[in-house]
Amino acid sequence: MKNIVNWFELPSTDFDRAVKFYSTILDIEMPTREFNGVPNGFFPYVGEGATGAVVHSPDYTPRADGPVVYLNGESLARMDAILNRIPQAGGQVLLPKTDIGEPGHIALFLDSERNRVGLFVSRS
């Protein structure tokens, strides 16, 4: 088994707002598509590995107190840029860039939908 995580979904109450939030803070394009009537906004990925989507479904509820997905911050400079864009995009930084020792750095934020999400930058 390469990775235990394969796919994640971040729930939204306002799909367009959520896609705009992540497109803005990550400075990415998020293609959208419906699957079985559920709108999905896809995070980009290259090659193999985990990725996911912002989704809008009555079966999902955004949560600040549930599991935390950590997005790849790529580098400390990129992590800083992402964190700086969060408030203007409608989110809130909960934990600024924090050195966690050997593994690297983390940060936590609330997205526009009130999901608690993390950023991670590996030291390696």
Side-chain angles (χ1 to χ4, degrees):
M1 178 181 324
K2 291 183 180 182
N3 295 313
I4 195 71
V5 175
N6 185 3
W7 180 259
F8 65 87
E9 295 176 338
L10 294 173
S12 66
T13 52
D14 183 323
F15 179 73
D16 293 333
R17 177 180 64 199
V19 169
K20 182 178 179 185
F21 174 83
Y22 283 102
S23 296
T24 298
I25 70 162
L26 299 173
D27 193 25
I28 59 171
E29 294 290 323
M30 291 187 76
T32 61
R33 184 172 163 199
E34 282 196 15
F35 287 101
N36 296 323
V38 175
N40 284 253
F42 299 100
F43 291 99
Y45 73 98
V46 176
E48 295 183 28
T51 193
V54 170
V55 298
H56 184 72
S57 169
D59 296 333
Y60 295 163
T61 303
R63 295 189 58 123
D65 61 352
V68 179
V69 172
Y70 282 81
L71 304 176
N72 185 355
E74 294 182 28
S75 70
L76 295 179
R78 179 157 165 74
M79 180 185 267
D80 286 338
I82 293 167
L83 291 170
N84 287 335
R85 290 189 285 258
I86 287 171
Q88 295 87 355
Q92 177 186 357
V93 175
L94 299 174
L95 176 71
K97 179 175 64 180
T98 302
D99 188 331
I100 59 168
E102 186 178 329
H105 291 79
I106 63 168
L108 292 170
F109 63 91
L110 285 179
D111 69 10
S112 62
E113 309 309 293
R114 311 328 280 168
N115 293 301
R116 182 177 48 156
V117 180
L119 291 171
F120 176 75
V121 174
S122 174
R123 229 178 259 294
S124 57

